[in-house]
């Protein structure tokens, strides 16, 4: 029965994705698979396709289909099996490398104008480049680590926004009361940026042949986190999951917290009356040097077997790589909770939209985005060992060195058991 259902799904997709036909008016149809995100996001995407299709100067017509994220992988697998993938679709940064090295998508260097590539921030350009070729054009970036803090509470204690770990620890100490913790320090998936910033490298060697998580930077990071918990400046049990922690500064639970940039929308939607009391900043570092937050986000790619790569590239260029006001309208619709990968769009937003008066947007664009890095592409099993090590320091009383050695042993065992060095994309 399961095999029968699979064959039915393949057949259904094959019917809906027949080779591109000439659309009304002699234009060539190009198929786009989009993902279902927030309602405002879908409305913006639908509006853009309508505008493009209504332009008499365009040679192509876009047929856009929205796919639920939960069904995405199954639908893609079935379409590839039937050789009926759409011309273009969305891929996030963390999956881009794998799609490129597996031959599922094609380079866009020669399909998109050079000026569009030159307009990208250099660090974002690196995120879409695989073996020297650019395999996507990015729509937006979304930093995973933003510090949210109560401006009024810091002012009461004559405290500056902390830029170093020592300053953060001292501020957390002074802001901790019987009714409120000074801060939160959830150690979840977001620790990627903390780890790379502290050590200057990932916890696995560059060739994926051994653990590399015992340098002084990792020891210092676990020491910093352990001190916060030991002194009870942060709650031992999380008051909220990481993705929702921005609200904690708005509901008087804590004075400082960390979450992704999406926390801005949550505060504005649920606690608009608190917005003036809340500030955002880059996370602190040991010496005050720039924090390197990982960024998530979405890119547009062209399928390796597309029969209309020029048409797909034409729409991608029109949508994301040309008029700053058109690409900028996406960030306006997002209430500036997502950020542009393009320099000219940043300039447009800062001078022509409400962003010019938006302190949060300007701070993140100035202090976080330019220093951002891509999420690592090694298996989550590696990252999980670092989280376990932090937990052993916080709850089991192990020294950072002991916990990191345990993690190294587990990482090395995983590498050996899975011949993991051979899995690194070349």
């Amino acid at each position: 029965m399961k095999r029968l259902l699979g064959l039915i799904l393949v057949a259904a997709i094959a019917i809906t994705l027949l080779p591109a036909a000439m659309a009304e008016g002699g234009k060539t149809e190009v198929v786009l698979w989009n993902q279902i995100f927030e309602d405002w996001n879908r409305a913006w995407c639908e509006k853009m396709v309508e505008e493009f299709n209504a332009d008499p100067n365009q040679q192509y017509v876009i047929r856009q289909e929205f796919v639920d994220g939960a069904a995405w992988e199954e639908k893609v697998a079935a379409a590839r099996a039937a050789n009926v993938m759409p011309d273009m679709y969305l891929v996030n940064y963390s999956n881009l490398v794998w799609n490129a090295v597996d031959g599922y998508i094609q380079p866009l260097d020669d399909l998109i104008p050079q000026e569009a590539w030159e307009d990208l921030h250099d660090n974002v350009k690196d995120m879409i480049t695989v073996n020297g070729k650019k395999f996507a054009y990015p729509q937006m970036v979304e930093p995973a680590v933003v510090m949210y803090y109560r401006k009024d509470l810091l002012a009461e204690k004559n405290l500056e926004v902390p830029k170093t770990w020592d300053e953060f620890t001292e501020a957390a100490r002074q802001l901790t009361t019987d009714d409120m913790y000074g801060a939160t320090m959830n150690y979840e998936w977001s620790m990627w940026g903390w780890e790379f910033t502290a050590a200057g490298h990932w916890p696995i060697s560059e060739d994926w042949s051994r653990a590399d998580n015992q340098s002084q930077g990792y020891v210092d990071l676990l020491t910093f986190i352990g001190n916060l918990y030991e002194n009870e400046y942060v709650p031992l049990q999380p008051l909220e999951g990481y993705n929702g922690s921005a609200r904690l500064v708005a509901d008087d639970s804590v004075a400082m917290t960390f979450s992704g940039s999406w926390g801005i929308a949550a505060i504005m939607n649920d606690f608009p009356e608190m917005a003036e009391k809340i500030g955002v900043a880059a996370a602190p570092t040991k010496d005050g040097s720039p924090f390197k937050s990982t960024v998530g986000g979405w890119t547009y790619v062209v399928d390796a077997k597309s029969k209309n790569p020029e048409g797909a590239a034409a729409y991608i260029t029109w949508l994301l790589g040309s008029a700053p006001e058109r690409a900028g309208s996406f960030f306006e619709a997002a209430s500036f909770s997502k950020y542009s990968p393009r320099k000219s769009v940043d300039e447009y937003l800062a001078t022509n939209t409400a962003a010019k008066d938006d302190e949060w947007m300007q701070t993140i664009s100035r202090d976080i985005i330019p220093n951002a890095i891509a999420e690592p592409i090694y298996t989550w099993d590696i990252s999980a060992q670092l989280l376990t090590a932090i937990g052993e320091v916080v709850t089991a009383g192990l020294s950072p060195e002991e916990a990191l050695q345990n993690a190294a042993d587990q990482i090395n065992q995983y590498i050996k058991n899975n011949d993991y060095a051979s899995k690194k994309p070349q």
Side-chain angles (χ1 to χ4, degrees), residues 39-234:
D39 290 343
W40 65 262
N41 192 322
R42 179 166 182 161
W44 182 86
C45 292
E46 290 174 340
K47 181 175 183 289
M48 291 299 102
V49 166
E50 288 175 5
E51 289 185 6
F52 182 87
N53 289 345
D55 185 346
N57 296 317
Q58 299 296 340
Q59 303 176 40
Y60 305 94
V61 169
I62 305 302
R63 176 159 62 86
Q64 181 171 227
E65 179 181 346
F66 291 90
V67 181
D68 192 309
W72 181 266
E73 290 188 7
E74 182 179 5
K75 188 175 181 69
V76 167
R80 283 181 179 147
N83 199 29
V84 287
M85 281 292 285
D87 295 288
M88 57 180 160
Y89 45 95
L90 272 64
V91 171
N92 58 32
Y93 293 103
S94 59
N95 286 323
L96 181 64
V97 172
W98 298 109
N99 275 267
V101 298
D102 288 340
Y104 292 139
I105 56 179
Q106 59 181 282
L108 303 182
D109 302 72
D110 299 329
L111 290 171
I112 289 177
Q114 183 62 27
E115 56 266 27
W117 296 122
E118 292 174 352
D119 196 26
L120 294 175
H121 290 295
D122 288 341
N123 57 339
V124 181
K125 198 182 302 182
D126 290 342
M127 297 176 198
I128 58 168
T129 301
V130 181
N131 295 328
K133 296 180 179 180
K134 295 180 283 290
F135 279 85
Y137 201 87
Q139 179 178 31
M140 57 87 168
V141 290
E142 197 170 35
V145 182
V146 175
M147 183 169 72
Y148 295 82
Y149 63 91
R150 284 285 292 273
K151 295 189 287 187
D152 55 332
L153 299 180
L154 266 68
E156 288 175 8
K157 298 290 185 179
N158 294 314
L159 293 168
E160 298 292 329
V161 179
K163 295 183 179 180
T164 69
W165 290 347
D166 287 345
E167 292 171 354
F168 184 84
T169 301
E170 177 59 19
R173 182 187 72 80
Q174 293 194 41
L175 293 168
T176 296
T177 68
D178 291 340
D179 301 317
M180 174 185 288
Y181 284 98
T184 59
M185 189 66 213
N186 289 12
Y187 48 97
E188 296 184 21
W189 61 270
S190 62
M191 292 308 297
W192 284 326
W194 291 91
E195 293 163 11
F196 191 90
T197 303
H201 59 82
W202 298 117
I204 185 172
S205 63
E206 191 170 340
D207 62 1
W208 290 10
S209 66
R210 60 179 175 80
D212 190 16
N213 67 315
Q214 295 176 277
S215 62
Q216 191 61 45
Y218 282 100
V219 174
D220 291 343
L221 177 61
L222 269 63
T223 300
F224 160 63
I225 295 172
N227 286 339
L228 291 171
Y229 281 92
E230 181 179 0
N231 289 290
E232 299 183 358
Y233 302 151
V234 299

Side-chain angles (χ1 to χ4, degrees), residues 104-423:
Y104 292 139
I105 56 179
Q106 59 181 282
L108 303 182
D109 302 72
D110 299 329
L111 290 171
I112 289 177
Q114 183 62 27
E115 56 266 27
W117 296 122
E118 292 174 352
D119 196 26
L120 294 175
H121 290 295
D122 288 341
N123 57 339
V124 181
K125 198 182 302 182
D126 290 342
M127 297 176 198
I128 58 168
T129 301
V130 181
N131 295 328
K133 296 180 179 180
K134 295 180 283 290
F135 279 85
Y137 201 87
Q139 179 178 31
M140 57 87 168
V141 290
E142 197 170 35
V145 182
V146 175
M147 183 169 72
Y148 295 82
Y149 63 91
R150 284 285 292 273
K151 295 189 287 187
D152 55 332
L153 299 180
L154 266 68
E156 288 175 8
K157 298 290 185 179
N158 294 314
L159 293 168
E160 298 292 329
V161 179
K163 295 183 179 180
T164 69
W165 290 347
D166 287 345
E167 292 171 354
F168 184 84
T169 301
E170 177 59 19
R173 182 187 72 80
Q174 293 194 41
L175 293 168
T176 296
T177 68
D178 291 340
D179 301 317
M180 174 185 288
Y181 284 98
T184 59
M185 189 66 213
N186 289 12
Y187 48 97
E188 296 184 21
W189 61 270
S190 62
M191 292 308 297
W192 284 326
W194 291 91
E195 293 163 11
F196 191 90
T197 303
H201 59 82
W202 298 117
I204 185 172
S205 63
E206 191 170 340
D207 62 1
W208 290 10
S209 66
R210 60 179 175 80
D212 190 16
N213 67 315
Q214 295 176 277
S215 62
Q216 191 61 45
Y218 282 100
V219 174
D220 291 343
L221 177 61
L222 269 63
T223 300
F224 160 63
I225 295 172
N227 286 339
L228 291 171
Y229 281 92
E230 181 179 0
N231 289 290
E232 299 183 358
Y233 302 151
V234 299
L236 183 59
Q237 296 297 325
L239 303 178
E240 176 65 82
Y242 182 79
N243 288 342
S245 344
R247 74 161 185 84
L248 297 175
V249 293
D251 67 9
D252 293 325
S253 296
V254 303
M256 301 181 291
T257 190
F258 302 96
S259 187
S261 62
W262 52 85
I264 290 174
I267 291 173
M268 294 305 297
N269 288 335
D270 300 334
F271 302 94
E273 72 284 358
M274 294 296 294
E276 291 187 0
K277 296 181 178 181
I278 296 170
V280 300
T285 60
K286 182 178 180 180
D287 58 3
S289 58
F291 186 93
K292 297 182 181 300
S293 172
T294 52
V295 291
W298 294 92
T299 70
Y300 278 61
V301 301
V302 177
D303 191 73
K305 298 181 179 180
S306 169
K307 293 181 173 57
N308 290 286
E310 295 82 5
Y315 181 68
I316 293 171
T317 302
W318 179 89
L319 180 71
L320 304 177
S322 54
E325 61 273 18
R326 182 182 302 120
S329 66
F330 174 83
F331 304 100
E332 292 184 88
S335 300
F336 309 116
S337 61
K338 305 179 192 299
Y339 298 87
S340 173
R342 289 175 58 194
K343 291 172 280 189
S344 66
V345 174
D346 280 342
E347 293 169 3
Y348 167 78
L349 294 172
T351 56
N352 295 279
T353 72
K356 64 180 181 292
D357 300 315
D358 192 312
E359 176 187 340
W360 294 350
M361 184 270 185
Q362 292 184 23
T363 298
I364 292 174
S365 295
R366 180 187 68 241
D367 298 339
I368 298 179
I369 298 300
N371 302 305
I373 57 175
E375 296 174 351
I377 62 170
Y378 52 75
T379 177
W380 174 252
D381 299 76
I382 307 297
S383 301
Q385 294 304 324
L386 269 294
L387 300 186
T388 298
I390 297 172
E392 289 177 341
V393 171
V394 170
T395 63
L398 270 64
S399 70
E401 291 84 354
E402 291 171 322
L404 289 167
Q405 179 63 61
N406 290 343
D409 292 342
Q410 292 299 316
I411 293 170
N412 285 327
Q413 191 63 53
Y414 180 90
I415 291 171
K416 178 180 178 181
N417 290 347
N418 294 276
D419 187 24
Y420 199 60
S422 69
K423 304 296 194 298

